[in-house]
Amino acid sequence: MSASVNVVAIDGPAGAGKSTIARELARVLHLPYLDTGAMYRGITCAALRAGVNPSDESDVAQLAVTTVLDISDDRLLVDGIDATADIRGEAVTRAVSSVAANSDVRRELRERQRTWVAERGGGVVEGRDIATVVFPDAKLKVFLTATPLVRAQRRVAQIGGDVEQIARDIAERDHKDSTRVDSPLRESENSIVVDTSNRTIGDVVDQIVGIFHG
């Protein structure tokens, strides 16, 4: 990946505001937007639909190769069936960490992500290993974070539920993502760390745009 490729890599833990900020950033910068997390959720959804255990590495890896993902700014089709709502449901959310930890799945989806960007000449790309593995030479790398309480409150606002339970779920996912062997959640050496706690979307986006153009 050339350093001149026009990629803004957005990374960070669940609930830090990655999707909301990345979408708005793409709009302001007039760049296409790719939510790579939705791709992993799409494979998870495909596994659940097919009755495949998300923890079965071999079967899920094979499924990742054959599953057709059609992803746009606001919709995801999995093998031609709209899965936009399903991938945000509880079943997929609880199983996606196992799928995302599968090295063969990651290898397949990374190539799809690189192809997606190459076809469009760049983009704002959001995901757990975008800055560290997929696009290590991205033009700008941003690691978004927020306090655990704020992250839990945001998730409850999106999908409902109990703040304390959501906070426990987030902590469990953080642990899984940060301790997995393949592409653990961590800051890239040259990422800009932005704490989104108690800040507006516009404020955060303005800061990142200023860095991008600086």
Side-chain angles (χ1 to χ4, degrees):
M1 178 57 60
S2 168
S4 64
V5 172
N6 201 28
V7 171
V8 180
I10 305 291
D11 201 350
K18 295 191 303 294
S19 296
T20 302
I21 290 168
R23 286 177 185 275
E24 180 62 12
L25 187 62
R27 186 189 70 79
V28 172
L29 294 176
H30 304 291
L31 291 172
Y33 162 72
L34 177 61
D35 176 4
T36 65
M39 298 173 73
Y40 289 98
R41 286 174 175 270
I43 299 301
T44 306
C45 182
L48 294 176
R49 286 177 177 177
V52 173
N53 186 337
S55 297
D56 188 321
E57 294 188 1
S58 178
D59 284 354
V60 174
Q62 182 176 359
L63 193 66
V65 174
T66 59
T67 299
V68 177
L69 300 177
D70 182 1
I71 189 168
S72 61
D73 283 2
D74 56 4
R75 190 173 70 157
L76 175 67
L77 302 182
V78 177
D79 289 329
I81 301 173
D82 194 335
T84 307
D86 290 348
I87 64 170
R88 303 300 174 187
E90 182 177 348
V92 169
T93 297
R94 289 188 178 277
V96 68
S97 285
S98 295
V99 173
N102 188 316
S103 294
D104 290 332
V105 173
R106 300 200 73 83
R107 187 176 303 111
E108 168 66 23
L109 294 189
R110 284 174 192 146
E111 289 308 308
R112 296 196 195 190
Q113 290 154 18
R114 290 171 180 139
T115 298
W116 188 96
V117 166
E119 290 174 347
R120 291 160 179 79
V124 175
V125 186
E126 167 206 343
R128 292 303 174 89
D129 61 353
I130 298 306
T132 55
V133 179
V134 185
F135 299 110
D137 297 318
K139 181 175 180 179
L140 176 63
K141 303 176 186 180
V142 180
F143 190 91
L144 298 177
T145 187
T147 66
L149 178 59
V150 167
R151 292 164 58 201
Q153 289 172 335
R154 287 172 178 169
R155 281 305 167 93
V156 169
Q158 290 175 338
I159 62 174
D162 177 73
V163 170
E164 292 185 359
Q165 179 60 53
I166 296 294
R168 287 192 291 270
D169 291 345
I170 285 176
E172 180 180 356
R173 182 172 177 184
D174 282 352
H175 177 72
K176 287 181 179 179
D177 288 348
S178 61
T179 58
R180 71 189 182 203
V181 175
D182 192 334
S183 302
L185 173 67
R186 61 181 174 85
E187 300 169 21
S188 174
E189 290 182 0
N190 53 347
S191 286
I192 304 298
V193 179
V194 178
D195 190 331
T196 66
S197 303
N198 304 315
R199 296 181 64 186
T200 66
I201 296 168
D203 182 38
V204 174
V205 169
D206 286 347
Q207 178 184 356
I208 298 173
V209 170
I211 297 170
F212 180 84
H213 288 308

